[in-house]
Amino acid sequence: PKAVVETETTRPSRALDGRRPKGGKVRICLKKISFLFLLTILAVLNLLQSPTIHFDSEHTAEAVHSNGACSGFNGILHISRGDAEGAAGTIFFLFVLNQLLYAEEYNLIPWIHLNNASYHVYDEVVHGIDEYMTIHPAEWKKPSWHRFHDPEMNMTFAYPGVPRKDIDVTKSLTVYGNGVWSSYFEPVSRYSPEDESCQKLPLVRLSYSQIIPGLHLHTPYALRAWRYRGMSSILRKDELTYDEWFRPIRRRGSLAAKRYIRFLPYLHKLAQAANPSSRCMAVHIRHSDKANRRKKIPLRKFLPYIDAYSELVPSGNIFVATDSSLVIEQLRNSSQVIFQGDVIRSNNTTAVFRMHAHHDTNVQVLVDILAMSRCQVILHGLSAVSEASLYLQPQLYSINLEVGEGIEMEVFRNRIMNA
């Protein structure tokens, strides 16, 4: 005989075999109960595993659960642009990193999705123009202004401060293309517009004037590639040598790059192919459109160091990163000189990013930055590209030939021999 369990019911109902139970009691086989119970458990598990977050036909983020990506943050910083004229080194390693430092200052989770405002790095074909998604922030905030007075210049300067509520914006935000950054780097945070913990936070964006001059020129903790025109004397610190002035900036830049700069694998492979050396000296020569009161350093100033390195390290390579085809022509006969092949270079003062597709020139610059960072010594002038390599490799020994007179040859030789 089968074991059964009886349950009381308030009204007669048909038993599982179709017969009406006697005395209002339902006799249910334990095997059937176990089977139904198993089906229920499987159904619940299926519901838990089913995706409940989706983009609708217009790519509008809708969330019904949270992975906690934005938990603990005060808001979301949307990094949407740099300045209008910056190229890859400047946009990625100064303007983006400075906004990431701002996000840290005010406990904001960063989200990089660049638009086409920084048009020297934006490539319509590669980065796209189609609508990517629309998000609906809980609220919008814009940074207030933090002001300080420079008594020496008798001027007041301002840079972005605490985010405040902004009521002068539309409710939704639509972004287009792939955001540029994702073509070259991994994401800088776990931010997801699908995550409910992110949708509960206010969205913060800096205005153009807060990016430049505010952040770029006047923020005390910002990264800079040289002393810019328009800076406060408090930040210029003209009493310091450039080496002294650069030291804390490069330290901040190195720490920021370690936290946020993660190149995509294809760029590492290209850099490895361009500079496979384990021992090398990097030489960065910018000759085409060098501006902003910087000097174009003639090749003859680099040659004594190149010759000395060749003599002291006959097995080492000299990796040359340059935008000038004329420089390559003068150096290509040296057996130790290596450089990227099949890239666009200029033979006059026209900038490379004005001559070719921007994605290609972005890749060219980023590969040069990575390849130079593999070396032990770098000869260079004032440039965001050189500084980017120094951020990536803080042990890279810098010899700046644009400021001062470089270093004495005996000091250079001793440094190379002990490297």
Side-chain angles (χ1 to χ4, degrees):
K2 296 179 180 178
V4 297
V5 63
E6 295 183 349
T7 58
E8 295 295 330
T9 181
T10 57
R11 61 181 175 84
S13 61
R14 293 199 177 274
L16 294 176
D17 62 1
R19 296 172 297 169
R20 189 177 301 276
K22 296 180 180 180
K25 295 183 178 181
V26 180
R27 300 171 60 85
I28 303 175
C29 177
L30 277 178
K31 287 186 177 181
K32 293 180 179 180
I33 291 178
S34 300
F35 178 72
L36 291 173
F37 180 73
L38 178 61
L39 288 178
T40 303
I41 293 298
L42 290 174
V44 170
L45 289 174
N46 185 58
L47 286 172
L48 290 174
Q49 293 175 354
S50 297
T52 53
I53 298 178
H54 67 278
F55 287 117
D56 64 17
S57 58
E58 295 182 353
H59 302 285
T60 300
E62 296 182 357
V64 296
H65 80 268
S66 172
N67 293 321
C70 295
S71 298
F73 289 96
N74 296 336
I76 303 154
L77 180 66
H78 177 203
I79 300 174
S80 62
R81 64 173 300 164
D83 76 333
E85 295 294 327
T90 299
I91 296 300
F92 297 139
F93 285 88
L94 293 180
F95 280 96
V96 168
L97 282 183
N98 281 337
Q99 291 180 72
L100 289 168
L101 291 176
Y102 173 83
E104 290 183 0
E105 188 77 6
Y106 295 102
N107 192 36
L108 308 173
I109 186 169
W111 166 42
I112 303 174
H113 194 102
L114 301 176
N115 56 30
N116 63 355
S118 300
Y119 54 86
H120 292 318
V121 300
Y122 172 75
D123 189 307
E124 181 177 302
V125 174
V126 175
H127 302 140
I129 59 174
D130 294 334
E131 181 178 326
Y132 177 66
M133 68 177 174
T134 297
I135 64 173
H136 303 276
E139 64 174 320
W140 289 76
K141 287 189 177 182
K142 64 180 179 181
S144 58
W145 286 100
H146 183 89
R147 292 176 170 80
F148 67 95
H149 185 72
D150 185 333
E152 181 179 329
M153 300 176 68
N154 194 26
M155 293 179 64
T156 298
F157 298 90
Y159 60 91
V162 179
R164 305 292 188 193
K165 187 171 182 178
D166 184 5
I167 60 174
D168 299 324
V169 293
T170 56
K171 179 67 175 175
S172 62
L173 169 68
T174 300
V175 293
Y176 299 85
N178 73 350
V180 182
W181 183 266
S182 63
S183 292
Y184 315 104
F185 305 98
E186 299 288 349
V188 297
S189 74
R190 293 176 56 220
Y191 168 78
S192 170
E194 302 167 291
D195 194 298
E196 188 179 42
S197 69
C198 299
Q199 292 194 339
K200 292 177 179 179
L201 293 180
L203 189 72
V204 180
R205 282 207 297 183
L206 289 90
S207 67
Y208 185 61
S209 62
Q210 287 176 327
I211 295 172
I212 184 169
L215 194 60
H216 192 56
L217 267 65
H218 305 320
T219 301
Y221 53 80
L223 307 175
R224 299 180 178 91
W226 61 89
R227 290 177 170 121
Y228 305 133
R229 180 186 304 176
M231 286 176 59
S232 161
S233 66
I234 296 173
L235 299 178
R236 285 182 59 88
K237 299 183 185 297
D238 289 325
E239 69 277 8
L240 301 179
T241 67
Y242 250 118
D243 281 342
E244 293 169 333
W245 186 77
F246 271 130
R247 197 168 295 129
I249 295 175
R250 287 173 179 166
R251 190 179 303 116
R252 290 196 299 272
S254 178
L255 292 173
K258 186 176 181 180
R259 290 192 295 271
Y260 297 115
I261 300 295
R262 294 184 292 275
F263 289 89
L264 294 182
Y266 81 93
L267 290 171
H268 283 289
K269 290 180 181 178
L270 290 173
Q272 170 68 22
N275 180 17
S277 310
S278 59
R279 191 168 188 190
C280 56
M281 179 173 72
V283 179
H284 181 223
I285 304 176
R286 175 81 176 270
H287 269 187
S288 64
D289 67 326
K290 201 169 185 181
N292 295 321
R293 300 193 299 179
R294 292 175 296 160
K295 303 171 185 175
K296 294 180 182 179
I297 310 169
L299 179 59
R300 59 179 171 79
K301 290 192 70 173
F302 291 89
L303 291 178
Y305 300 96
I306 292 174
D307 292 341
Y309 187 87
S310 298
E311 175 194 338
L312 294 168
V313 192
S315 61
N317 282 327
I318 300 165
F319 180 80
V320 177
T322 182
D323 56 356
S324 171
S325 59
L326 302 177
V327 167
I328 294 297
E329 286 302 316
Q330 294 177 72
L331 293 177
R332 70 165 58 250
N333 292 329
S334 171
S335 61
Q336 290 178 259
V337 170
I338 57 176
F339 47 84
Q340 280 197 75
D342 299 323
V343 297
I344 301 298
R345 292 187 173 90
S346 175
N347 61 7
N348 50 38
T349 58
T350 302
V352 171
F353 52 74
R354 299 183 189 277
M355 299 169 55
H356 201 61
H358 292 164
H359 171 69
D360 293 342
T361 55
N362 290 344
V363 170
Q364 177 179 333
V365 170
L366 293 174
V367 169
D368 273 345
I369 289 170
L370 267 173
M372 290 194 294
S373 73
R374 297 169 60 86
C375 295
Q376 293 76 47
V377 181
I378 181 170
L379 301 177
H380 63 101
L382 297 173
S383 168
V385 171
S386 303
E387 294 305 308
S389 292
L390 288 158
Y391 295 166
L392 294 178
Q393 177 49 273
Q395 302 305 316
L396 189 59
Y397 183 64
S398 163
I399 302 173
N400 194 327
L401 300 183
E402 188 167 346
V403 294
E405 295 297 325
I407 62 173
E408 294 181 3
M409 188 54 62
E410 191 61 32
V411 176
F412 174 77
R413 295 175 72 91
N414 290 334
R415 179 78 188 196
I416 296 302
M417 291 177 66
N418 296 323

